[in-house]
PDB file of all heavy atoms in Angstrom:
ATOM      1  N   GLU A  40     -13.464  -5.202  16.547  1.00 95.00           N
ATOM      2  CA  GLU A  40     -13.242  -5.948  17.768  1.00 95.00           C
ATOM      3  C   GLU A  40     -14.474  -6.850  18.080  1.00 95.00           C
ATOM      4  O   GLU A  40     -14.377  -8.021  18.516  1.00 95.00           O
ATOM      5  CB  GLU A  40     -12.900  -4.990  18.938  1.00 95.00           C
ATOM      6  CG  GLU A  40     -12.689  -5.718  20.309  1.00 95.00           C
ATOM      7  CD  GLU A  40     -12.415  -4.709  21.368  1.00 95.00           C
ATOM      8  OE1 GLU A  40     -11.540  -3.865  21.142  1.00 95.00           O
ATOM      9  OE2 GLU A  40     -13.033  -4.690  22.478  1.00 95.00           O
ATOM     10  N   GLN A  41     -15.672  -6.260  17.826  1.00 96.00           N
ATOM     11  CA  GLN A  41     -16.982  -6.971  18.164  1.00 96.00           C
ATOM     12  C   GLN A  41     -18.018  -6.520  17.190  1.00 96.00           C
ATOM     13  O   GLN A  41     -17.853  -5.321  16.850  1.00 96.00           O
ATOM     14  CB  GLN A  41     -17.371  -6.760  19.634  1.00 96.00           C
ATOM     15  CG  GLN A  41     -18.618  -7.402  20.028  1.00 96.00           C
ATOM     16  CD  GLN A  41     -18.517  -8.895  19.968  1.00 96.00           C
ATOM     17  OE1 GLN A  41     -17.449  -9.485  20.308  1.00 96.00           O
ATOM     18  NE2 GLN A  41     -19.441  -9.581  19.354  1.00 96.00           N
ATOM     19  N   ILE A  42     -18.791  -7.324  16.658  1.00 97.00           N
ATOM     20  CA  ILE A  42     -19.870  -6.993  15.800  1.00 97.00           C
ATOM     21  C   ILE A  42     -21.106  -7.823  16.019  1.00 97.00           C
ATOM     22  O   ILE A  42     -20.906  -9.052  16.301  1.00 97.00           O
ATOM     23  CB  ILE A  42     -19.422  -7.068  14.263  1.00 97.00           C
ATOM     24  CG1 ILE A  42     -20.507  -6.484  13.401  1.00 97.00           C
ATOM     25  CG2 ILE A  42     -19.027  -8.467  13.842  1.00 97.00           C
ATOM     26  CD1 ILE A  42     -19.940  -5.976  11.994  1.00 97.00           C
ATOM     27  N   ASP A  43     -22.257  -7.231  16.012  1.00 97.00           N
ATOM     28  CA  ASP A  43     -23.499  -7.938  16.307  1.00 97.00           C
ATOM     29  C   ASP A  43     -24.540  -7.399  15.223  1.00 97.00           C
ATOM     30  O   ASP A  43     -24.633  -6.255  15.131  1.00 97.00           O
ATOM     31  CB  ASP A  43     -24.022  -7.819  17.621  1.00 97.00           C
ATOM     32  CG  ASP A  43     -23.071  -8.364  18.618  1.00 97.00           C
ATOM     33  OD1 ASP A  43     -22.938  -9.642  18.727  1.00 97.00           O
ATOM     34  OD2 ASP A  43     -22.513  -7.624  19.379  1.00 97.00           O
ATOM     35  N   ILE A  44     -25.285  -8.250  14.531  1.00 98.00           N
ATOM     36  CA  ILE A  44     -26.326  -7.831  13.698  1.00 98.00           C
ATOM     37  C   ILE A  44     -27.755  -8.183  14.352  1.00 98.00           C
ATOM     38  O   ILE A  44     -27.866  -9.300  14.913  1.00 98.00           O
ATOM     39  CB  ILE A  44     -26.184  -8.521  12.285  1.00 98.00           C
ATOM     40  CG1 ILE A  44     -27.171  -7.840  11.226  1.00 98.00           C
ATOM     41  CG2 ILE A  44     -26.338 -10.084  12.229  1.00 98.00           C
ATOM     42  CD1 ILE A  44     -26.798  -8.231   9.763  1.00 98.00           C
ATOM     43  N   ASP A  45     -28.677  -7.255  14.074  1.00 98.00           N
ATOM     44  CA  ASP A  45     -29.952  -7.415  14.711  1.00 98.00           C
ATOM     45  C   ASP A  45     -30.983  -8.228  13.974  1.00 98.00           C
ATOM     46  O   ASP A  45     -32.235  -8.140  14.270  1.00 98.00           O
ATOM     47  CB  ASP A  45     -30.477  -6.035  15.037  1.00 98.00           C
ATOM     48  CG  ASP A  45     -29.569  -5.183  16.103  1.00 98.00           C
ATOM     49  OD1 ASP A  45     -28.652  -5.773  16.574  1.00 98.00           O
ATOM     50  OD2 ASP A  45     -29.925  -3.906  15.966  1.00 98.00           O
ATOM     51  N   GLY A  46     -30.542  -8.889  12.932  1.00 97.00           N
ATOM     52  CA  GLY A  46     -31.622  -9.725  12.108  1.00 97.00           C
ATOM     53  C   GLY A  46     -30.838 -10.173  10.823  1.00 97.00           C
ATOM     54  O   GLY A  46     -29.667 -10.245  10.894  1.00 97.00           O
ATOM     55  N   PRO A  47     -31.687 -10.493   9.903  1.00 97.00           N
ATOM     56  CA  PRO A  47     -31.129 -11.020   8.609  1.00 97.00           C
ATOM     57  C   PRO A  47     -30.324  -9.977   7.852  1.00 97.00           C
ATOM     58  O   PRO A  47     -30.481  -8.813   8.064  1.00 97.00           O
ATOM     59  CB  PRO A  47     -32.418 -11.588   7.762  1.00 97.00           C
ATOM     60  CG  PRO A  47     -33.425 -10.622   8.427  1.00 97.00           C
ATOM     61  CD  PRO A  47     -33.193 -10.406   9.811  1.00 97.00           C
ATOM     62  N   PHE A  48     -29.422 -10.486   6.961  1.00 98.00           N
ATOM     63  CA  PHE A  48     -28.653  -9.646   6.103  1.00 98.00           C
ATOM     64  C   PHE A  48     -29.468  -9.072   4.978  1.00 98.00           C
ATOM     65  O   PHE A  48     -29.448  -9.572   3.796  1.00 98.00           O
ATOM     66  CB  PHE A  48     -27.472 -10.417   5.591  1.00 98.00           C
ATOM     67  CG  PHE A  48     -26.411  -9.565   4.976  1.00 98.00           C
ATOM     68  CD1 PHE A  48     -25.568  -8.852   5.833  1.00 98.00           C
ATOM     69  CD2 PHE A  48     -26.130  -9.574   3.685  1.00 98.00           C
ATOM     70  CE1 PHE A  48     -24.504  -8.089   5.301  1.00 98.00           C
ATOM     71  CE2 PHE A  48     -25.129  -8.709   3.052  1.00 98.00           C
ATOM     72  CZ  PHE A  48     -24.338  -7.909   3.875  1.00 98.00           C
ATOM     73  N   ILE A  49     -30.366  -8.161   5.322  1.00 98.00           N
ATOM     74  CA  ILE A  49     -31.233  -7.465   4.297  1.00 98.00           C
ATOM     75  C   ILE A  49     -31.324  -6.012   4.579  1.00 98.00           C
ATOM     76  O   ILE A  49     -30.964  -5.552   5.672  1.00 98.00           O
ATOM     77  CB  ILE A  49     -32.621  -8.168   4.308  1.00 98.00           C
ATOM     78  CG1 ILE A  49     -33.348  -7.852   5.751  1.00 98.00           C
ATOM     79  CG2 ILE A  49     -32.642  -9.518   3.915  1.00 98.00           C
ATOM     80  CD1 ILE A  49     -34.803  -8.262   5.731  1.00 98.00           C
ATOM     81  N   ALA A  50     -31.769  -5.194   3.564  1.00 98.00           N
ATOM     82  CA  ALA A  50     -31.982  -3.716   3.693  1.00 98.00           C
ATOM     83  C   ALA A  50     -32.795  -3.563   4.984  1.00 98.00           C
ATOM     84  O   ALA A  50     -33.848  -4.110   5.087  1.00 98.00           O
ATOM     85  CB  ALA A  50     -32.398  -3.204   2.488  1.00 98.00           C
ATOM     86  N   GLY A  51     -32.438  -2.521   5.733  1.00 98.00           N
ATOM     87  CA  GLY A  51     -33.213  -2.124   6.918  1.00 98.00           C
ATOM     88  C   GLY A  51     -32.711  -2.743   8.266  1.00 98.00           C
ATOM     89  O   GLY A  51     -32.995  -2.190   9.299  1.00 98.00           O
ATOM     90  N   THR A  52     -31.821  -3.704   8.156  1.00 98.00           N
ATOM     91  CA  THR A  52     -31.356  -4.414   9.298  1.00 98.00           C
ATOM     92  C   THR A  52     -30.238  -3.531   9.881  1.00 98.00           C
ATOM     93  O   THR A  52     -29.370  -2.991   9.195  1.00 98.00           O
ATOM     94  CB  THR A  52     -30.852  -5.738   9.051  1.00 98.00           C
ATOM     95  OG1 THR A  52     -31.940  -6.599   8.592  1.00 98.00           O
ATOM     96  CG2 THR A  52     -30.285  -6.384  10.317  1.00 98.00           C
ATOM     97  N   TRP A  53     -30.156  -3.461  11.223  1.00 98.00           N
ATOM     98  CA  TRP A  53     -29.172  -2.722  12.037  1.00 98.00           C
ATOM     99  C   TRP A  53     -28.021  -3.594  12.501  1.00 98.00           C
ATOM    100  O   TRP A  53     -28.316  -4.722  12.765  1.00 98.00           O
ATOM    101  CB  TRP A  53     -29.684  -1.874  13.193  1.00 98.00           C
ATOM    102  CG  TRP A  53     -30.576  -0.746  12.729  1.00 98.00           C
ATOM    103  CD1 TRP A  53     -31.935  -0.749  12.404  1.00 98.00           C
ATOM    104  CD2 TRP A  53     -30.198   0.645  12.574  1.00 98.00           C
ATOM    105  NE1 TRP A  53     -32.378   0.515  12.115  1.00 98.00           N
ATOM    106  CE2 TRP A  53     -31.346   1.351  12.180  1.00 98.00           C
ATOM    107  CE3 TRP A  53     -29.062   1.277  12.850  1.00 98.00           C
ATOM    108  CZ2 TRP A  53     -31.234   2.692  11.889  1.00 98.00           C
ATOM    109  CZ3 TRP A  53     -28.959   2.516  12.657  1.00 98.00           C
ATOM    110  CH2 TRP A  53     -30.041   3.369  12.280  1.00 98.00           C
ATOM    111  N   PHE A  54     -26.775  -3.061  12.620  1.00 98.00           N
ATOM    112  CA  PHE A  54     -25.748  -3.866  13.261  1.00 98.00           C
ATOM    113  C   PHE A  54     -24.886  -2.841  14.087  1.00 98.00           C
ATOM    114  O   PHE A  54     -24.999  -1.660  13.902  1.00 98.00           O
ATOM    115  CB  PHE A  54     -24.910  -4.660  12.219  1.00 98.00           C
ATOM    116  CG  PHE A  54     -24.214  -3.828  11.322  1.00 98.00           C
ATOM    117  CD1 PHE A  54     -22.943  -3.409  11.513  1.00 98.00           C
ATOM    118  CD2 PHE A  54     -24.694  -3.467  10.076  1.00 98.00           C
ATOM    119  CE1 PHE A  54     -22.155  -2.779  10.550  1.00 98.00           C
ATOM    120  CE2 PHE A  54     -24.099  -2.768   9.075  1.00 98.00           C
ATOM    121  CZ  PHE A  54     -22.856  -2.403   9.279  1.00 98.00           C
ATOM    122  N   THR A  55     -24.310  -3.411  15.103  1.00 97.00           N
ATOM    123  CA  THR A  55     -23.458  -2.633  16.069  1.00 97.00           C
ATOM    124  C   THR A  55     -22.036  -3.142  15.757  1.00 97.00           C
ATOM    125  O   THR A  55     -21.740  -4.407  15.935  1.00 97.00           O
ATOM    126  CB  THR A  55     -23.836  -2.816  17.333  1.00 97.00           C
ATOM    127  OG1 THR A  55     -25.317  -2.489  17.569  1.00 97.00           O
ATOM    128  CG2 THR A  55     -22.996  -2.016  18.373  1.00 97.00           C
ATOM    129  N   MET A  56     -21.032  -2.274  15.507  1.00 96.00           N
ATOM    130  CA  MET A  56     -19.651  -2.703  15.272  1.00 96.00           C
ATOM    131  C   MET A  56     -18.751  -1.899  16.227  1.00 96.00           C
ATOM    132  O   MET A  56     -18.842  -0.586  16.284  1.00 96.00           O
ATOM    133  CB  MET A  56     -19.329  -2.345  13.842  1.00 96.00           C
ATOM    134  CG  MET A  56     -17.849  -2.747  13.587  1.00 96.00           C
ATOM    135  SD  MET A  56     -17.547  -2.659  11.692  1.00 96.00           S
ATOM    136  CE  MET A  56     -17.724  -0.890  11.415  1.00 96.00           C
ATOM    137  N   LYS A  57     -17.816  -2.560  16.826  1.00 95.00           N
ATOM    138  CA  LYS A  57     -16.947  -1.803  17.777  1.00 95.00           C
ATOM    139  C   LYS A  57     -15.439  -1.998  17.275  1.00 95.00           C
ATOM    140  O   LYS A  57     -14.935  -3.030  17.275  1.00 95.00           O
ATOM    141  CB  LYS A  57     -17.093  -2.430  19.218  1.00 95.00           C
ATOM    142  CG  LYS A  57     -16.136  -1.642  20.276  1.00 95.00           C
ATOM    143  CD  LYS A  57     -16.164  -2.361  21.629  1.00 95.00           C
ATOM    144  CE  LYS A  57     -15.166  -1.586  22.554  1.00 95.00           C
ATOM    145  NZ  LYS A  57     -13.874  -1.334  21.956  1.00 95.00           N
ATOM    146  N   PRO A  58     -14.904  -0.900  16.783  1.00 92.00           N
ATOM    147  CA  PRO A  58     -13.464  -0.987  16.515  1.00 92.00           C
ATOM    148  C   PRO A  58     -12.555  -1.098  17.642  1.00 92.00           C
ATOM    149  O   PRO A  58     -12.948  -0.608  18.830  1.00 92.00           O
ATOM    150  CB  PRO A  58     -13.182   0.424  15.764  1.00 92.00           C
ATOM    151  CG  PRO A  58     -14.580   0.967  15.501  1.00 92.00           C
ATOM    152  CD  PRO A  58     -15.508   0.354  16.516  1.00 92.00           C
ATOM    153  N   PRO A  59     -11.400  -1.638  17.492  1.00 92.00           N
ATOM    154  CA  PRO A  59     -10.528  -1.785  18.699  1.00 92.00           C
ATOM    155  C   PRO A  59     -10.194  -0.508  19.408  1.00 92.00           C
ATOM    156  O   PRO A  59      -9.884   0.518  18.709  1.00 92.00           O
ATOM    157  CB  PRO A  59      -9.343  -2.286  18.269  1.00 92.00           C
ATOM    158  CG  PRO A  59      -9.715  -3.067  16.804  1.00 92.00           C
ATOM    159  CD  PRO A  59     -10.828  -2.226  16.438  1.00 92.00           C
ATOM    160  N   GLY A  60     -10.525  -0.295  20.719  1.00 92.00           N
ATOM    161  CA  GLY A  60     -10.207   0.912  21.542  1.00 92.00           C
ATOM    162  C   GLY A  60     -11.023   2.064  21.297  1.00 92.00           C
ATOM    163  O   GLY A  60     -10.782   3.205  21.583  1.00 92.00           O
ATOM    164  N   GLU A  61     -12.218   1.798  20.510  1.00 91.00           N
ATOM    165  CA  GLU A  61     -13.211   2.925  20.313  1.00 91.00           C
ATOM    166  C   GLU A  61     -14.567   2.493  20.720  1.00 91.00           C
ATOM    167  O   GLU A  61     -14.798   1.372  21.122  1.00 91.00           O
ATOM    168  CB  GLU A  61     -13.182   3.142  18.819  1.00 91.00           C
ATOM    169  CG  GLU A  61     -11.803   3.752  18.275  1.00 91.00           C
ATOM    170  CD  GLU A  61     -11.817   4.117  16.847  1.00 91.00           C
ATOM    171  OE1 GLU A  61     -12.940   4.420  16.291  1.00 91.00           O
ATOM    172  OE2 GLU A  61     -10.837   3.938  16.111  1.00 91.00           O
ATOM    173  N   GLU A  62     -15.493   3.552  20.717  1.00 93.00           N
ATOM    174  CA  GLU A  62     -16.839   3.267  21.124  1.00 93.00           C
ATOM    175  C   GLU A  62     -17.590   2.512  19.900  1.00 93.00           C
ATOM    176  O   GLU A  62     -17.187   2.573  18.797  1.00 93.00           O
ATOM    177  CB  GLU A  62     -17.567   4.585  21.261  1.00 93.00           C
ATOM    178  CG  GLU A  62     -17.063   5.313  22.527  1.00 93.00           C
ATOM    179  CD  GLU A  62     -17.480   4.708  23.779  1.00 93.00           C
ATOM    180  OE1 GLU A  62     -18.639   4.234  23.859  1.00 93.00           O
ATOM    181  OE2 GLU A  62     -16.590   4.608  24.674  1.00 93.00           O
ATOM    182  N   ALA A  63     -18.537   1.749  20.293  1.00 95.00           N
ATOM    183  CA  ALA A  63     -19.292   0.940  19.282  1.00 95.00           C
ATOM    184  C   ALA A  63     -20.164   1.897  18.448  1.00 95.00           C
ATOM    185  O   ALA A  63     -20.551   2.976  18.926  1.00 95.00           O
ATOM    186  CB  ALA A  63     -20.130  -0.026  19.987  1.00 95.00           C
ATOM    187  N   LEU A  64     -20.311   1.552  17.206  1.00 95.00           N
ATOM    188  CA  LEU A  64     -21.093   2.442  16.274  1.00 95.00           C
ATOM    189  C   LEU A  64     -22.295   1.661  15.790  1.00 95.00           C
ATOM    190  O   LEU A  64     -22.263   0.430  15.487  1.00 95.00           O
ATOM    191  CB  LEU A  64     -20.334   2.858  15.129  1.00 95.00           C
ATOM    192  CG  LEU A  64     -19.096   3.804  15.337  1.00 95.00           C
ATOM    193  CD1 LEU A  64     -18.164   3.792  14.188  1.00 95.00           C
ATOM    194  CD2 LEU A  64     -19.597   5.111  15.847  1.00 95.00           C
ATOM    195  N   ARG A  65     -23.476   2.306  15.628  1.00 97.00           N
ATOM    196  CA  ARG A  65     -24.730   1.608  15.076  1.00 97.00           C
ATOM    197  C   ARG A  65     -24.712   2.019  13.563  1.00 97.00           C
ATOM    198  O   ARG A  65     -24.650   3.190  13.250  1.00 97.00           O
ATOM    199  CB  ARG A  65     -25.921   2.167  15.766  1.00 97.00           C
ATOM    200  CG  ARG A  65     -26.063   1.624  17.164  1.00 97.00           C
ATOM    201  CD  ARG A  65     -26.673   0.298  17.317  1.00 97.00           C
ATOM    202  NE  ARG A  65     -27.969   0.130  16.959  1.00 97.00           N
ATOM    203  CZ  ARG A  65     -28.568  -1.048  16.669  1.00 97.00           C
ATOM    204  NH1 ARG A  65     -27.971  -2.037  16.705  1.00 97.00           N
ATOM    205  NH2 ARG A  65     -29.779  -0.987  16.372  1.00 97.00           N
TER     206      ARG A  65
END
Side-chain angles (χ1 to χ4, degrees):
E40 181 179 306
Q41 182 60 42
I42 189 160
D43 299 292
I44 188 163
D45 298 348
F48 194 75
I49 59 172
T52 299
W53 288 86
F54 62 94
T55 304
M56 182 171 65
K57 184 186 178 314
E61 295 182 31
E62 294 292 315
L64 297 167
R65 292 279 290 160

